Amino acid sequence: MLDQMHRVEAVGAAETYVSHGDYLALENPATGKVFAEAREADEGLVDQVVSGAQNTFRRQWRGTSPLDRARLLVRWADVLMEHQDELARIESTDVGHLYRESAADVANAAKWLRYFAGVADKIEGDAVDAHPDRVAHVTREPFGVVAGVNSFNGNILMFGIKAAPALAAGNCLVLKAPELAPLSSFRMAELAIDAGIPRGVVSVITGRGQVTGNALLRHPAVGMAIFTGGLGAAKAVIRSSAVNAIPLCLELGGKNAVILLDDVDVDRVVPHLLHSNFVKCGQSCAAGSRIFVPRPLADELTGRLAAAASRLRPGDPFSPDSDMGAVISETQVARIEDLVNRGTAAGATRLAGGHRAHGRPDVEHGHFFEPTVLADLMDSNVAAREEIFGPVVGVLTYDDVDEVVSRANGLDLGLSAQIWGNDSSTIHYVARRLEAGTVWVNTYRAIHPSSPYGGYKHSGYGRENGPEVLKTYTRGKTTVWAYGDIPNPYAQLSGAS
Amino acid sequence: MLVASVVGPGIPVDGGSGGRAEDAGFDVRDCAGEVVARVDECSPGDVDSLVRAVTAAAARWRSRPAHSRVRAMLDWAAALDGERGRLAELLAAEAGALRSEAELEVDRAVDWIRYYSGLVGKVDGRVFGGIPGQFGYTAREPYDVVAGVNAAVGALALFAGQASLSLASGSGYLFKAHAEAPLAPLMMAELAQAAGVEPVAAVAGSTQVGEYVSTHTGVGLLAFTGRSPVGREVIAGSVKEVTPLVMGLGARNAALVLDDAALSTVVPAVLHSRFSRAGQEWFGVAHVYVHESLFEDFVARAVALADRIKVGPASDPDSLMGPLLSRQRRQLLETALAAGVADGARVLAGGRPPADLPDGAYFAPTVVVDASPTNPLRRDEVVGPVLTVSSFGDVDQVVAQANASQSGAVMQVWGRDVRTLKSVSDRLEAGAIWINTADGLSPEVPIGSWKSSGYGTTGGVSSLDYFTRTKAIMWDLTPLSDRAPSLAKLAHATKVGGAANA
């Protein structure tokens, strides 16, 4: 736990910043206590930080060799791991994740930095030699300053996922950390400087979307933006992007289908289905929150889910006995509660949980929700349509494969999906037809720096990860060298001058 | 007789408008304002049906053998080639194209389709390198329907580029024709249908129809080319369905003429770049920076050449520059020129409609000097045959000056010294750098803009990235019985590594 009141301003090219935005109070969701505050970056501070990043790019970072960028990314990864415990403590205090969840995020962030360090000097272009009188080259160049906006539920990892390719490609990144929980991002940026990354290459500010996000996305020095968050905020981001016509990558929400095939191992699959929905209290865009089970297996599955879920306890994020941490805020808990109540009012059966956690000292003052299982969901039930972003498992039954594919695709969301079973023909058949950016087979939440991640439909567009993401973080310049005589209709007109 | 405003799979050739009253529909006028044809109204219901039809046609297209799809696309290209005469007539009537300009537009369209026909069945994914216990790969999947909303001039080439990219990816394509120039694109869509390229459709209508198409829930990707103010509205409209975009917005393209450039080649090339299609093409040059040692000579040659360019209709085989699209556009140009002159610019050639063509939408090829960087002629997107010229002394300064613009589409560089050409082209901030040519377009080469001129590309293999959506499929091959689930209380066995179930 952080012992003293913590205050953060901005991390960027300058050593200190003077600005006039409000301080936002930061609450520890496990205790309900305000323990820190963060400056909301107003337009003036955003301008200072972004301009600083642009200067750093022009004066220093642009001239840094790919190999040196790679070395710095690796060094940053090392420094993060040297501070893994500290970062995990900050994050778990600020967000309420279990300590082990935050610690895993640090390890993964380091993994991303190392992966992209390895490709910093492998950004290749194309040459096209199709015509006898010309040759064309496509080269990839950094934008200069790119903007990143994160949601609160994966700060450390999402920062790594954005910073690694951004820096490998030669950009400077300005990150808007979520105003609900920005501290780990600020600390990571400080550690980047400790690792030797020049000031201004990695900058962090925070504030509300309508203040800080708007100013950042509209700043003329920002060449492109990657946004992770909800649909409502994404719409504001798209509108802001129109000001300077900047390209976007949008990673939005999901109401992810989990399709259990009729040969699934019901017993063994249960812990994975639950963890998919209870990790970080279900505050994950990848939560497999719509579990489609074949009708003959429904009773057995829901029984096992409920029995297992009721053995799990949310509690102090720092206790190894806790199975879940805290939900980010009272507002969010109220929303989860409301959706569960509306779900049961619409006909779902509550088999486990369904209410705020209480009755134990470590959950008394914070925002905790019991692990919840809802069965007998219909497609029309709000609990089966809206992303709850809470520890709620939803179970629906189905009768045949084409039906379940159609129902899985029946929402406007399409981020990910899971298929559990053994028949590879059926698995391929289903995977091909699911409208989702990632399909996990016999696993969940399996992300890797090599695997492109992003959504279909209202879950967004663009992909993070994979060597191809370096194209997202660069712009292609096509140079056509003509070396023949290219006639035009005016050539015969111009005689001697 | 009304021209059908909807052309697509399963839609009768007359669009089902037979029997509809003549006073329904909208006029297509030539550059003098005379009515060339009346096109039927297009309703939102028509668009809904069309999107559904194209979606279904795209699914059928994808299940055809690759060779059959390739054959259909090549047949479409051949049909366009064969109908160049009729298409040229339509382009002359509605878009003011000279015969040679129309032929070039048709040639470009044919080239696009032939190029991308070769990528049918070749849109591959990637298998991930060793992640222990996992087998992962990507599939690049099509959208059901890609929509294109484009500028009026050069429409056939834009149609062909976007459509053929969509077809190679397995997507359907819907071209929303500009209300002022729909006839040639509609015919192009008819030729696609006749050639068996089922999932290509076109619809003609007002701006409202354009908005309806571009924000339609069935449209998975929107490609837009046009002026920046309209483009910004399109970006705002994309929030409705969170539609990914490929944007080509207005640009102030410029040419840099270095001190060792050969003016006898450069002047005709640069002027043609500006005056082709009466300055209405998106890739035409608007401003020329000429090294001070060549400036006087350049201006003298440009003025002399501009004055010799005969302006006239397509029907006159001696015409070397056609009209603007409409009188309204000429009015806008005259206003822009007046503002430029008021700000200090000097007109050395042209600057008014040709004396022998006062009516209609003709304008003389215009050369302007003394327009400072803040002059409206240099700051705004001016559509029309007005070329501004300025001189520079220091190459580094002129590169910085060019880069200060928020425009980033095409930069031409003219010169001979390799080191200078390389250094300049490396530093210029634009998506397309054309060295010693005013026309670097060809379908093998990606073309797209930087900065406020847009994003996304067409051309080349890499543009498939913009016209497909990636699905990643990750199999965990380790048996469930060997895995320790992350909820410790529910564990069965010992932990096995792999991708992060973070």
Side-chain angles (χ1 to χ4, degrees):
Chain A
M1 296 268 269
L2 295 178
D3 295 327
Q4 308 154 276
M5 186 65 154
H6 216 71
R7 173 184 274 188
V8 291
E9 302 282 340
V11 177
E15 300 221 2
T16 57
Y17 287 96
V18 175
S19 65
H20 307 288
D22 293 332
Y23 280 107
L24 304 169
L26 303 177
E27 182 204 52
N28 178 337
T31 63
K33 288 203 170 76
V34 171
F35 74 105
E37 54 187 16
R39 174 82 73 180
E40 176 167 72
D42 59 10
E43 204 169 330
L45 181 54
V46 170
D47 183 45
Q48 286 177 65
V49 171
V50 174
S51 300
Q54 187 177 43
N55 286 338
T56 301
F57 175 76
R58 286 177 173 162
R59 296 204 181 120
Q60 190 174 4
W61 193 236
R62 175 163 41 190
T64 306
S65 73
L67 209 50
D68 286 336
R69 297 200 295 266
R71 285 195 193 110
L72 288 169
L73 284 171
V74 171
R75 183 72 201 120
W76 190 17
D78 289 343
V79 170
L80 290 181
M81 288 308 288
E82 286 161 17
H83 290 81
Q84 183 182 28
D85 176 62
E86 181 201 345
L87 281 167
R89 288 183 175 283
I90 291 171
E91 180 75 340
S92 286
T93 305
D94 203 7
V95 185
H97 297 326
L98 293 175
Y99 174 86
R100 58 183 177 273
E101 291 167 345
S102 301
D105 275 358
V106 179
N108 279 317
K111 184 173 171 177
W112 254 259
L113 294 175
R114 293 193 178 107
Y115 178 98
F116 282 98
V119 291
D121 60 351
K122 300 177 179 69
I123 300 174
E124 296 178 353
D126 295 313
V128 180
D129 205 5
H131 289 275
D133 59 356
R134 67 183 74 175
V135 66
H137 303 117
V138 182
T139 47
R140 313 280 334 164
E141 303 194 4
F143 285 92
V145 179
V146 301
V149 178
N150 277 341
S151 57
F152 70 84
N153 58 311
N155 286 307
I156 296 171
L157 177 53
M158 286 177 193
F159 195 163
I161 288 177
K162 290 177 173 65
L167 268 58
N171 298 292
C172 293
L173 170 70
V174 177
L175 181 81
K176 184 188 96 65
E179 67 273 23
L180 287 176
L183 294 179
S184 63
S185 303
F186 279 88
R187 190 68 186 116
M188 277 177 71
E190 288 171 356
L191 293 174
I193 296 164
D194 289 351
I197 294 174
R199 279 191 176 278
V201 174
V202 178
S203 304
V204 176
I205 48 177
T206 192
R208 292 165 294 161
Q210 61 266 40
V211 175
T212 310
N214 279 1
L216 179 61
L217 267 285
R218 291 166 192 236
H219 196 286
V222 168
M224 63 87 74
I226 313 245
F227 170 85
T228 303
L231 183 56
K235 295 189 175 189
V237 166
I238 294 168
R239 290 191 190 99
S240 289
S241 79
V243 171
N244 296 310
I246 62 169
L248 297 174
C249 175
L250 301 177
E251 303 276 358
L252 310 181
K255 187 68 178 176
N256 306 296
V258 176
I259 298 175
L260 307 183
L261 301 180
D262 55 22
D263 59 355
V264 71
D265 184 335
V266 171
D267 182 39
R268 291 186 185 282
V269 87
V270 159
H272 304 287
L273 300 183
L274 292 181
H275 190 242
S276 170
N277 286 285
F278 297 157
V279 62
K280 296 185 170 179
C281 284
Q283 298 169 118
S284 166
C285 54
S289 49
R290 286 187 295 156
I291 299 176
F292 289 92
V293 60
R295 197 178 297 277
L297 301 176
D299 288 342
E300 188 193 348
L301 178 78
T302 52
R304 288 182 190 273
L305 286 171
S310 46
R311 301 214 300 275
L312 302 173
R313 290 281 172 272
D316 174 8
F318 291 93
S319 165
D321 294 332
S322 300
D323 300 305
M324 273 188 352
V327 174
I328 186 70
S329 67
E330 167 56 31
T331 309
Q332 263 308 105
V333 169
R335 184 170 177 275
I336 297 165
E337 192 168 51
D338 177 60
L339 282 165
V340 170
N341 289 340
R342 286 160 64 194
T344 51
T349 308
R350 190 178 53 77
L351 295 180
H355 50 79
R356 297 160 190 263
H358 54 77
R360 287 174 289 116
D362 64 341
V363 303
E364 216 44 60
H365 302 290
H367 314 302
F368 292 91
F369 204 86
E370 292 290 354
T372 301
V373 177
L374 296 178
D376 301 322
L377 278 171
M378 299 288 124
D379 292 345
S380 55
N381 191 314
V382 67
R385 303 188 68 77
E386 278 190 37
E387 188 182 34
I388 298 177
F389 230 58
V392 181
V393 170
V395 184
L396 306 93
T397 54
Y398 76 91
D399 294 300
D400 82 63
V401 167
D402 287 316
E403 170 218 329
V404 74
V405 166
S406 170
R407 288 166 62 195
N409 291 340
L411 300 182
D412 284 334
L413 296 172
L415 187 56
S416 69
Q418 299 168 32
I419 307 170
W420 295 84
N422 280 308
D423 179 52
S424 67
S425 294
T426 310
I427 290 169
H428 278 296
Y429 181 92
V430 170
R432 207 149 190 274
R433 284 160 179 74
L434 286 171
E435 290 166 3
T438 298
V439 178
W440 285 306
V441 180
N442 292 328
T443 188
Y444 65 103
R445 241 180 126 71
I447 56 165
H448 189 275
S450 182
S451 180
Y453 188 80
Y456 277 34
K457 305 188 288 190
H458 290 195
S459 291
Y461 47 77
R463 296 289 178 268
E464 293 188 280
N465 304 333
E468 49 276 277
V469 77
L470 293 169
K471 285 206 176 132
T472 302
Y473 282 93
T474 53
R475 40 191 186 182
K477 172 186 285 178
T478 300
T479 305
V480 178
W481 286 73
Y483 43 83
D485 271 326
I486 297 155
N488 73 71
Y490 297 171
Q492 77 268 30
L493 277 193
S494 61
S497 58
Chain B
M1 200 189 70
L2 286 179
V3 172
S5 59
V6 179
V7 176
I11 291 167
V13 168
D14 73 350
S17 68
R20 256 216 276 246
E22 277 285 321
D23 58 1
F26 64 95
D27 288 330
V28 178
R29 295 173 184 274
D30 68 13
C31 312
E34 300 299 316
V35 175
V36 165
R38 262 190 99 70
V39 177
D40 196 6
E41 290 291 355
C42 173
S43 70
D46 291 334
V47 173
D48 292 340
S49 305
L50 189 61
V51 170
R52 273 197 299 274
V54 172
T55 302
R60 289 191 294 273
W61 174 258
R62 287 190 289 274
S63 65
R64 281 166 71 167
H67 69 82
S68 154
R69 288 178 270 158
V70 173
R71 169 53 43 200
M73 286 176 77
L74 291 176
D75 286 349
W76 183 26
L80 288 171
D81 200 13
E83 290 286 359
R84 58 179 54 239
R86 175 73 187 131
L87 287 165
E89 279 169 25
L90 294 174
L91 289 172
E94 67 183 354
L98 301 178
R99 178 70 191 220
S100 60
E101 294 171 337
E103 301 245 11
L104 179 56
E105 189 174 330
V106 172
D107 284 341
R108 289 196 209 273
V110 166
D111 284 347
W112 277 109
I113 298 167
R114 286 188 180 142
Y115 176 84
Y116 279 111
S117 75
L119 286 182
V120 170
K122 301 184 179 81
V123 181
D124 300 330
R126 173 173 66 81
V127 174
F128 310 156
I131 305 169
Q134 314 283 313
F135 171 64
Y137 62 96
T138 59
R140 285 204 289 177
E141 301 199 338
Y143 294 97
D144 289 326
V145 178
V146 175
V149 177
N150 294 298
V153 172
L156 300 191
L158 293 164
F159 186 162
Q162 294 165 8
S164 57
L165 255 170
S166 303
L167 291 167
S169 308
S171 307
Y173 179 77
L174 169 50
F175 183 87
K176 191 282 171 180
H178 197 284
E180 289 178 67
L183 301 174
L186 286 169
M187 180 175 170
M188 190 161 151
E190 280 168 15
L191 293 172
Q193 289 297 316
V197 181
E198 253 210 297
V200 166
V203 65
S206 59
T207 332
Q208 280 95 306
V209 171
E211 271 170 40
Y212 193 75
V213 166
S214 56
T215 59
H216 200 279
T217 186
V219 167
L221 171 73
L222 178 65
F224 173 86
T225 62
R227 293 179 51 249
S228 293
V230 182
R232 285 194 198 101
E233 285 172 24
V234 167
I235 296 171
S238 75
V239 306
K240 177 172 167 281
E241 299 291 344
V242 192
T243 312
L245 303 169
V246 172
M247 302 295 289
L249 302 179
R252 298 267 328 149
N253 301 320
L256 223 67
V257 179
L258 301 170
D259 63 4
D260 57 355
L263 291 188
S264 57
T265 314
V266 175
V267 171
V270 168
L271 260 63
H272 186 247
S273 173
R274 171 76 292 185
F275 300 139
S276 169
R277 303 303 292 265
Q280 297 168 111
E281 280 172 322
W282 68 269
F283 54 89
V285 75
H287 180 74
V288 195
Y289 300 94
V290 183
H291 191 266
E292 60 197 4
S293 64
L294 300 176
F295 179 74
E296 298 290 344
D297 194 4
F298 183 100
V299 170
R301 289 173 185 254
V303 168
L305 178 51
D307 286 340
R308 284 204 286 277
I309 294 169
K310 182 165 197 267
V311 180
S315 55
D316 181 349
D318 293 334
S319 297
L320 283 174
M321 191 177 97
L324 292 162
L325 215 60
S326 65
R327 281 211 197 97
Q328 272 161 316
R329 288 176 186 228
R330 185 174 75 176
Q331 183 59 51
L332 286 170
L333 184 64
E334 285 173 323
T335 307
L337 192 56
V341 168
D343 194 71
R346 275 191 307 134
V347 177
L348 299 183
R352 60 178 58 80
D356 59 332
L357 292 165
D359 300 324
Y362 295 95
F363 204 80
T366 302
V367 178
V368 170
V369 295
D370 296 344
S372 75
T374 54
N375 187 301
L377 285 177
R378 289 188 60 186
R379 196 194 52 216
D380 303 335
E381 291 161 34
V382 174
V383 178
V386 173
L387 182 70
T388 52
V389 190
S390 68
S391 98
F392 73 90
D394 179 81
V395 167
D396 295 338
Q397 267 177 30
V398 76
V399 168
Q401 191 182 0
N403 286 344
S405 163
Q406 269 304 305
S407 169
V410 181
M411 291 287 309
Q412 297 172 22
V413 187
W414 297 88
R416 299 187 71 82
D417 180 70
V418 160
R419 275 207 284 266
T420 313
L421 288 173
K422 180 83 173 44
S423 161
V424 165
S425 64
D426 280 354
R427 285 180 289 153
L428 285 171
E429 292 168 4
I433 312 288
W434 294 344
I435 301 176
N436 293 331
T437 180
D439 183 354
L441 292 176
S442 72
E444 306 89 4
V445 166
I447 185 89
S449 297
W450 284 20
K451 301 199 279 193
S452 297
S453 296
Y455 41 84
T457 62
T458 51
V461 178
S462 61
S463 294
L464 288 168
D465 294 346
Y466 291 104
F467 281 75
T468 54
R469 43 189 182 174
T470 300
K471 174 186 283 176
I473 298 143
M474 183 84 99
W475 291 64
D476 191 326
L477 299 171
T478 56
L480 279 183
S481 56
D482 290 355
R483 286 195 235 165
S486 299
L487 289 169
K489 279 185 195 146
L490 309 178
H492 287 271
T494 50
K495 200 170 164 61
V496 172
N501 289 129

